[in-house]
Amino acid sequence: MAINKVEICGVDTSTLPVLNNERMRELFPKIHAGDMDARREFIQGNLRLVLSVIQRFHNRGESVDDLFQVGCIGLIKAIDNFDTSQNVRFSTYAVPMIVGEIRRYLRDNNPIRVSRSLRDTAYKALKAREALGYRIGREPTVAEIAREMQIREEDVVLALEAIQDPVSLYDPVYQDGADAIYVMDQVRDNRVTEDEWVRDLSIKQAMDRLSERERSIIHRRFFQGRTQMEVASEIGISQAQVSRLEKAALQQMRKYI
């Protein structure tokens, strides 16, 4: 994502104006009265806020233009719902609205499809977690969230895991100059043990010492599951010759395994 590009969605970001708090307070009564020029000025004066928010999502591989447009939707929703009677800065209210809109967009466009009911359960669980945390003064457990929602703990876990953003094995987790450490470097594959890895390496080294015809026979027989008759037909020799070459090749390989 080219977050440093100057022009986004046809907007020259280097020339965007910035509204101070006093000017925002002057514009809000006009906006509520339906003044479209005031609304346009307010939106233009807060586009830099949208830019600052979308930088948090620069590593998602999404188009910066798309994120900017979605962020602008969040900004407009914040303008429409902001309560000027509260002693809160507009940016304090708007940033979570913009972030939430972008996160919804990323979840809805996730290549891993999640059912609507599961997503709804996850959003309710997030709200319950936030409300419980505020009430009890700490991070609630899954069991507490489940009791609050009156559903099973398994359903809470499944729903929350379903909305997690997928991580590519090739995403860098640390980079020092030209050397990067990727997610795949920190993932253990329990399907392949060290003994199996050494054995496979030994087999490869042993096969490298065979002649081309011997390697072809061993590969067909033990990697492709061919019979000696099939191998003989494929390479144009007799079954007896295949049997003799196979036996000699296996004896040769045993020296190196």
Side-chain angles (χ1 to χ4, degrees):
M1 175 170 139
I3 198 68
N4 296 319
K5 62 188 291 189
V6 174
E7 186 171 301
I8 300 177
C9 296
V11 177
D12 186 350
T13 59
S14 64
T15 62
L16 288 175
V18 177
L19 291 181
N20 56 40
N21 289 326
E22 184 178 351
R23 181 57 179 163
M24 289 188 198
R25 285 194 293 269
E26 292 174 357
L27 288 173
F28 260 117
K30 298 179 181 178
I31 293 173
H32 292 161
D35 188 331
M36 297 307 296
D37 289 334
R39 183 181 178 86
R40 190 176 301 110
E41 181 183 347
F42 197 98
I43 293 173
Q44 285 288 118
N46 282 279
L47 290 180
R48 285 188 180 274
L49 183 62
V50 177
L51 287 176
S52 68
V53 171
I54 66 176
Q55 291 186 44
R56 303 182 187 185
F57 303 91
H58 72 278
N59 62 344
R60 300 299 183 94
E62 294 287 335
S63 163
V64 64
D65 298 273
D66 291 344
L67 292 184
F68 183 72
Q69 291 181 65
V70 175
C72 288
I73 294 173
L75 172 63
I76 293 170
K77 287 184 177 180
I79 294 172
D80 292 339
N81 293 282
F82 184 62
D83 186 354
T84 55
S85 66
Q86 300 295 321
N87 188 26
V88 178
R89 292 169 63 94
F90 175 73
S91 59
T92 304
Y93 177 79
V95 167
M97 293 283 285
I98 298 169
V99 170
E101 198 67 31
I102 292 174
R103 283 178 175 165
R104 275 191 292 275
Y105 165 79
L106 293 174
R107 283 195 292 262
D108 291 343
N109 288 274
N110 194 319
I112 300 176
R113 309 311 300 175
V114 179
S115 70
R116 172 62 65 180
S117 60
L118 196 59
R119 203 156 51 227
D120 288 343
T121 301
Y123 296 156
K124 290 175 182 176
L126 291 174
K127 288 183 178 179
R129 184 173 67 183
E130 183 178 354
L132 270 172
Y134 179 78
R135 196 161 69 230
I136 64 180
R138 61 173 172 79
E139 182 72 15
T141 65
V142 171
E144 290 170 333
I145 295 172
R147 281 197 299 271
E148 180 78 5
M149 299 177 63
Q150 298 183 347
I151 63 176
R152 297 183 307 168
E153 293 181 34
E154 295 85 349
D155 293 336
V156 173
V157 173
L158 180 63
L160 291 177
E161 288 184 348
I163 63 170
Q164 296 299 313
D165 292 327
V167 177
S168 169
L169 289 174
Y170 297 95
D171 282 348
V173 294
Y174 173 78
Q175 186 156 1
D176 182 13
D179 298 323
I181 296 177
Y182 298 93
V183 172
M184 66 184 302
D185 298 325
Q186 299 184 325
V187 176
R188 177 192 295 271
D189 186 356
N190 292 322
R191 295 171 302 175
V192 181
T193 65
E194 183 178 352
D195 289 342
E196 290 172 326
W197 181 80
V198 171
R199 182 201 63 197
D200 292 343
L201 181 61
S202 299
I203 291 175
K204 181 181 182 305
Q205 291 175 337
M207 287 190 65
D208 288 342
R209 297 176 181 273
L210 301 178
S211 68
E212 184 175 349
R213 171 173 280 187
E214 288 172 332
R215 276 200 305 272
S216 176
I217 291 173
I218 295 298
H219 184 76
R220 283 178 163 86
R221 286 279 290 124
F222 299 102
F223 291 89
Q224 296 182 346
R226 301 283 204 279
T227 65
Q228 288 186 351
M229 284 288 291
E230 290 172 329
V231 174
S233 174
E234 288 173 2
I235 64 178
I237 61 176
S238 68
Q239 181 184 357
Q241 287 176 296
V242 169
S243 178
R244 186 170 61 253
L245 288 168
E246 176 185 314
K247 186 178 296 185
L250 291 174
Q251 288 176 346
Q252 178 76 357
M253 290 177 67
R254 288 192 185 99
K255 297 178 183 179
Y256 303 100
I257 299 178

